[in-house]
Amino acid sequence: MPKHTNGARGGSTRRRDLTSDENRDKEPGSSSDLVLSHGNTERSQNPAAILAASNGAIQRLASFTHYFESFAPDIDILEQVYGTAADREAKIQRLKETVETLIHSKNDQMENLQLENEKLRDGQEACDRERDRYRTMQGELEAQHAKAEAAREDEHKQKLQDEKDKTQKRIKATKAEIEAESRERVRELEDQNAGLLRMNEQLKQRLSEFEKKLEAKKTRHARVEKSLEEDNMKLNAEVKQLKSEFPVEGQPMDAEKFQHISDAIKVLSLRYFQKLPARALNHPEAVHQDLSKLSPIFESTPIWQSEISEFLRLRYVQHVISIGLCDFTWQPFFPQDSLPNGEGVGPFLEAVSNSLSATGGRSESAWRVLTLRGINDLRWESNRVEPMRRHVLEMLQPLIVPSESAGFEKDLLKLINESITLWKAARTDEARFIVEKYPDPSDKEGWQAEDTCGFENVSMPPDEKIDTSRIRPLCLFPNVVRAISGGGRVRVHQGSAIFPTSPVWIQAGLEKKEHEEELAKAVSDVRRKINARRMSSSAGPNSPVKD
């Protein structure tokens, strides 16, 4: 059931309802008068007339019942205070049953109506008594509430006063601490100020002394600067004289000059080594063994008349000549075999050159020119042409046609002299020239793979296995760089080489294997024929001989 608050407005509304109920009871046509008049006339009328005459009374009784139901909220409030839920429900149920009985009992006798009317009047009186009790209790509760509010207000005021007193005490204590710290800080600042004043006086004295010393240093600096200017003028004159005596080129060498040497090597190989001498044609295995003893690189190069053999043979000639130039002609100072005492002088001079080059400037180039001039004056450097010529002829003699040997030697001497002339100019350059004869496959700028001339599509057969892991890169022409000051390097000419991954080595291996198989087959056939002849001769002169 719904609960209603018993506020000020709710109480005034119920008081107005009670007043209106009392006035309604006093009216002439009220239900009380109806019951009395009905009692007086009950004896003189029959039941039908009584029922017809009491129809209006019944309707008013129903309206009274609805009016009585308007007190349900007040009854609920009273039941909430003094009764239980079961009692409230029982009372409401009895009232509902009474209303239903009154509505549905129009044809009942007037005695029953009067009894019900009296019961309703008794219920109204009970409600009035309960309402009075509720009003009394409401007043008591309001008085208790006002008293409790006043007590809470006093308690709150007391708490605020206590907090205020505590806060004031803390403020006073904090203020006293701050004042004490301020006084202490003021004393410290005064002491620091006095110290700073003393330090300021000392700094002023030192500054005066420094100014005097600085003035003396300025005087000495002026004298030193004048002396340095005179020494600088003398040094400039000496440097000018040194440059005139030992000129150092400032422009890099032209790459076309090294390219000319590379092209000349290719021309020599094509002109004198495309044809094989008679010994190589008749005894290729013997010539191959001789070349393998001279250089391990030639172990993978076959000697017979085929395209792959000619290709590798010509590149082998280029390799021998290029490496000879690197070892005998294009050395930073002089070749190893021309050292007068021991073999450690050359590496030592190169280490000194690298150290001076790392410092920057022109110190390395000037030192190198003077060192080379001293070496030339002492005549430690022997003729480079003859050792180079002997080396190349020794390495390539098995491949030269005897009738062309003189022409090859003449062109070779011409090439060596051009290489020496080029290197003399390079040695007097401001930067040091370095030749690299060991190819690096990862250095795409310094090294270029040789054109395989139609062998690009050669691949390993699925049923064959050619081992190329032991083959080393074959240098055809070195990589030439300039070592500039500060450790930098500038490429002058790109080197060329045949790397182990080149398909020409696979083709050479396949031809070598095929040649060995053919040779083994020929040897087997010869042995078989010899054995057959021996068997026929042992059987008798009349036995047939099978070829």
Side-chain angles (χ1 to χ4, degrees), residues 382-542:
S382 62
N383 184 14
R384 299 189 179 191
V385 177
E386 186 59 25
M388 170 74 178
R389 185 190 68 82
R390 286 199 307 266
H391 172 75
V392 174
L393 290 178
E394 180 183 359
M395 298 293 291
L396 301 180
Q397 188 64 38
L399 297 177
I400 301 175
V401 177
S403 60
E404 296 181 352
S405 178
F408 171 69
E409 185 174 355
K410 179 180 179 181
D411 292 342
L412 178 63
L413 291 174
K414 180 180 178 182
L415 175 65
I416 295 173
N417 290 324
E418 291 179 356
S419 302
I420 292 176
T421 303
L422 174 61
W423 195 248
K424 284 183 178 179
R427 289 168 61 175
T428 59
D429 191 84
E430 181 179 2
R432 185 164 63 94
F433 276 70
I434 301 174
V435 290
E436 298 175 347
K437 60 181 179 180
Y438 299 105
D440 183 5
S442 62
D443 187 3
K444 302 299 183 181
E445 295 184 358
W447 294 94
Q448 180 181 11
E450 176 69 3
D451 186 8
T452 54
C453 299
F455 297 101
E456 296 87 353
N457 298 325
V458 176
S459 59
M460 187 74 71
D463 56 344
E464 300 287 349
K465 186 175 182 181
I466 305 300
D467 186 14
T468 60
S469 60
R470 294 182 298 176
I471 299 176
R472 294 180 297 176
L474 187 65
C475 176
L476 304 181
F477 194 80
N479 178 36
V480 184
V481 296
R482 294 174 71 244
I484 60 178
S485 61
R489 307 184 83 186
V490 178
R491 182 170 58 87
V492 178
H493 186 273
Q494 188 180 32
S496 59
I498 300 179
F499 296 102
T501 56
S502 176
V504 297
W505 299 115
I506 299 176
Q507 182 66 25
L510 293 175
E511 287 195 6
K512 182 180 180 181
K513 185 177 181 181
E514 183 180 356
H515 178 73
E516 291 175 352
E517 291 176 354
E518 291 179 356
L519 182 61
K521 183 179 180 182
V523 172
S524 178
D525 292 342
V526 171
R527 288 178 179 176
R528 182 174 55 82
K529 290 181 180 181
I530 293 173
N531 291 332
R533 289 178 180 177
R534 288 177 180 176
M535 291 177 62
S536 63
S537 59
S538 62
N542 296 326

Side-chain angles (χ1 to χ4, degrees), residues 71-87:
F71 291 98
D74 297 331
I75 295 173
D76 293 339
I77 295 172
L78 293 174
E79 288 179 348
Q80 291 176 0
V81 177
Y82 299 101
T84 62
D87 295 335

Side-chain angles (χ1 to χ4, degrees), residues 80-251:
Q80 291 176 0
V81 177
Y82 299 101
T84 62
D87 295 335
R88 291 195 301 270
E89 292 293 331
K91 289 180 181 181
I92 293 171
Q93 187 64 29
R94 285 196 301 272
L95 291 175
K96 287 183 179 180
E97 292 175 355
T98 302
V99 172
E100 291 178 356
T101 302
L102 291 174
I103 293 174
H104 295 290
S105 63
K106 291 182 180 181
N107 297 324
D108 294 339
Q109 295 180 0
M110 291 301 297
E111 291 83 359
N112 294 331
L113 292 174
Q114 185 176 2
L115 292 174
E116 293 294 333
N117 189 14
E118 290 177 355
K119 290 181 180 180
L120 291 174
R121 185 180 297 110
D122 292 339
Q124 181 179 2
E125 292 176 355
C127 288
D128 291 340
R129 288 193 299 272
E130 291 294 330
R131 183 169 55 194
D132 293 339
R133 290 177 60 190
Y134 168 74
R135 289 175 178 174
T136 302
M137 291 182 66
Q138 184 179 10
E140 293 177 356
L141 291 174
E142 290 178 352
Q144 293 178 3
H145 178 72
K147 185 178 180 180
E149 288 291 333
R152 282 195 297 271
E153 184 69 23
D154 294 339
E155 184 179 358
H156 181 66
K157 289 180 179 179
Q158 185 63 34
K159 288 182 178 180
L160 291 177
Q161 185 63 34
D162 294 341
E163 291 293 334
K164 182 178 180 181
D165 295 340
K166 292 179 180 178
T167 304
Q168 289 179 351
K169 290 180 180 179
R170 286 196 299 270
I171 291 173
K172 290 180 180 179
T174 305
K175 183 179 179 181
E177 293 177 357
I178 294 174
E179 289 177 352
E181 291 178 357
S182 299
R183 289 191 296 270
E184 183 67 24
R185 184 61 179 168
V186 168
R187 285 194 297 270
E188 292 178 357
L189 292 175
E190 289 176 351
D191 296 339
Q192 292 179 2
N193 188 23
L196 291 174
L197 291 175
R198 291 191 299 270
M199 187 180 294
N200 190 20
E201 293 296 330
Q202 294 175 0
L203 290 175
K204 286 181 179 180
Q205 294 177 1
R206 294 176 61 185
L207 179 61
S208 177
E209 295 175 358
F210 285 148
E211 288 178 350
K212 294 178 181 178
K213 292 180 181 180
L214 180 60
E215 188 65 26
K217 287 182 179 181
K218 285 182 179 180
T219 304
R220 289 196 301 270
H221 178 72
R223 292 196 298 267
V224 171
E225 185 176 3
K226 184 177 180 180
S227 176
L228 288 176
E229 288 179 355
E230 295 175 356
D231 293 341
N232 191 23
M233 292 176 63
K234 293 179 181 179
L235 288 175
N236 288 332
E238 293 177 0
V239 170
K240 187 176 180 181
Q241 182 180 0
L242 182 63
K243 287 182 178 180
S244 62
E245 293 177 358
F246 308 106
V248 178
E249 299 292 337
Q251 299 296 327

Side-chain angles (χ1 to χ4, degrees), residues 275-283 287 313 397-402:
K275 297 179 182 180
L276 289 173
R279 182 172 178 271
L281 292 175
N282 297 328
H283 306 285
V287 174
R313 185 170 65 251
Q397 188 64 38
L399 297 177
I400 301 175
V401 177

Side-chain angles (χ1 to χ4, degrees), residues 22-66:
E22 293 175 358
N23 294 332
R24 204 164 32 245
D25 292 338
K26 295 178 181 180
E27 291 179 356
S30 62
S31 58
S32 301
D33 296 338
L34 176 62
V35 172
L36 295 176
S37 61
H38 178 71
N40 295 327
T41 56
E42 183 179 1
R43 300 182 182 89
S44 61
Q45 296 180 359
N46 56 22
I50 291 172
L51 290 174
S54 61
N55 187 19
I58 292 172
Q59 292 180 356
R60 285 193 297 273
L61 184 59
S63 63
F64 177 76
T65 301
H66 289 294

